[in-house]
Amino acid sequence: MTTESLWRLQKAVYDSLRASATLAALLPPDAIYDYVPAAAPYPCIVFGDMRLKAFDTQQHLGFEADLTLDCYSRYAGNKELQQISAAIHNILHHQPLVMSGHAVVLVAHSAADFALEADGETRRLRLNFKIISEPL
């Protein structure tokens, strides 16, 4: 387990999200970010907090990762974020994830939190996923 595993995991999740026509229909082009540019259009998805910890067995050196995706919208109400949440859930939850150098054992959507940001206009959806993997 190395922190390089987090980058591979982020890339695998990014590739899965980008491959979805359903999600693409809900977002402007290129609206999935690691770092959000100042003029980014809404809605958008941003890779948030990630945590990596050992998940070893006697036979395998695996890892467990907690991954957060933050989604932002200026839509009046939660409908847009609820649609994005459902799309991301269908793409990732209990679905195969192709990760370089790893066999992904589990992808589980563990939480979804909706909130209105301090500006009073921007809504945030925070999606949490638990991912368990072992090296090939």
Side-chain angles (χ1 to χ4, degrees):
M1 174 189 76
T2 66
T3 54
E4 182 183 339
S5 300
L6 282 177
W7 176 246
R8 290 180 182 173
L9 174 61
Q10 182 174 326
K11 183 176 179 345
V13 170
Y14 176 85
D15 290 345
S16 292
L17 296 176
R18 289 278 304 193
S20 169
T22 301
L23 187 59
L26 297 170
L27 299 172
D30 301 319
I32 303 171
Y33 303 103
D34 181 39
Y35 172 80
V36 184
Y42 290 94
C44 64
I45 299 170
V46 183
F47 281 87
D49 298 336
M50 290 189 259
R51 186 177 71 170
L52 182 68
K53 59 185 175 181
F55 193 79
D56 298 343
T57 66
Q58 290 184 348
Q59 291 84 21
H60 300 285
L61 301 175
F63 72 82
E64 178 181 315
D66 293 318
L67 171 91
T68 301
L69 295 173
D70 291 316
C71 308
Y72 294 93
S73 171
R74 290 266 172 99
Y75 184 85
N78 284 322
K79 181 180 178 183
E80 186 172 66
L81 287 177
Q82 289 168 346
Q83 291 172 330
I84 292 169
S85 176
I88 294 171
H89 176 88
N90 291 335
I91 295 163
L92 296 177
H93 183 68
H94 291 281
Q95 297 300 314
L97 187 63
V98 178
M99 185 176 166
S100 173
H102 292 264
V104 176
V105 178
L106 173 72
V107 179
H109 181 197
S110 58
D113 298 306
F114 292 84
L116 183 62
E117 296 287 274
D119 66 6
E121 295 178 28
T122 307
R123 295 184 181 276
R124 178 187 44 81
L125 162 65
R126 178 163 284 160
L127 298 170
N128 294 31
F129 290 88
K130 180 176 294 298
I131 300 163
I132 298 174
S133 177
E134 60 190 32
L136 294 175

